[in-house]
Amino acid sequence: AIWMCAWPAMAIGVLRTLYGVTDALWIGRLGPIELEAMGASSFGSWMLLVSGEVASVGVHAVASAQEGAGRRSDVGATVVQGLWIALVLSGLLAVGLGLSGGVGRYFSLLGLGGADETSVLVRESGSAYLRWCVGGAFPMAAAGVLASAFKGIGIAGPALT
């Protein structure tokens, strides 16, 4: 019984890992600096993905409870709250990474804060990569919120089951 519940979660974890592998395959063709920048940015992009799921998990739980209690009409308000949470979290990440110099501090923590040519090029390329990731944070979170609402009310099933 545990295996029946666990294997879809494990498969999704593997698929999420393949985000980075797919990026590495494509970005690696651009050159070693770009590949290093993508690798250095991978934890930051993972944080964006995980933070986008916060609202989805909450919507799934609340929508399921509302459906179980026979209050499907309340699910719409839950979705709106989830979308607002996703928007606020995405906005905070954009401000934290972009406007406040968070990307520069991020790369400094990774040891790429130096003035040598490689560090500068990796920071520039990595910053561009993270900006694209931040730009997609809200649409991905919003899609997750909507999918979670449908799963919560039983219209859509969980992935890989």
Side-chain angles (χ1 to χ4, degrees):
I2 292 175
W3 177 249
M4 290 302 295
C5 293
W7 83 264
M10 291 169 36
I12 288 171
V14 169
L15 291 173
R16 285 192 182 141
T17 301
L18 292 177
Y19 279 149
V21 173
T22 303
D23 283 350
L25 287 172
W26 286 100
I27 292 173
R29 295 176 183 196
L30 299 175
I33 296 292
E34 290 80 3
L35 183 59
E36 185 178 349
M38 191 278 313
S41 304
S42 62
F43 182 72
S45 64
W46 176 80
M47 289 189 318
L48 292 169
L49 285 172
V50 169
S51 66
E53 290 182 5
V54 169
S56 297
V57 170
V59 167
H60 192 176
V62 174
S64 296
Q66 289 168 331
E67 176 71 10
R71 297 190 331 259
R72 184 178 279 192
S73 61
D74 294 343
V75 173
T78 300
V79 170
V80 170
Q81 288 176 354
L83 290 172
W84 276 111
I85 290 169
L87 182 64
V88 168
L89 287 175
S90 299
L92 288 173
L93 287 167
V95 169
L97 286 174
L99 300 179
S100 69
V103 171
R105 283 193 299 279
Y106 172 81
F107 286 109
S108 292
L109 286 170
L110 296 175
L112 296 168
D116 60 287
E117 183 180 1
T118 300
S119 291
V120 170
L121 291 172
V122 168
R123 269 197 318 272
E124 289 173 358
S125 294
S127 296
Y129 179 81
L130 283 177
R131 278 193 299 278
W132 278 101
C133 291
V134 167
F138 176 69
M140 286 184 64
V145 165
L146 295 173
S148 291
F150 286 124
K151 285 188 275 187
I153 61 176
I155 292 178
L160 303 176
T161 57

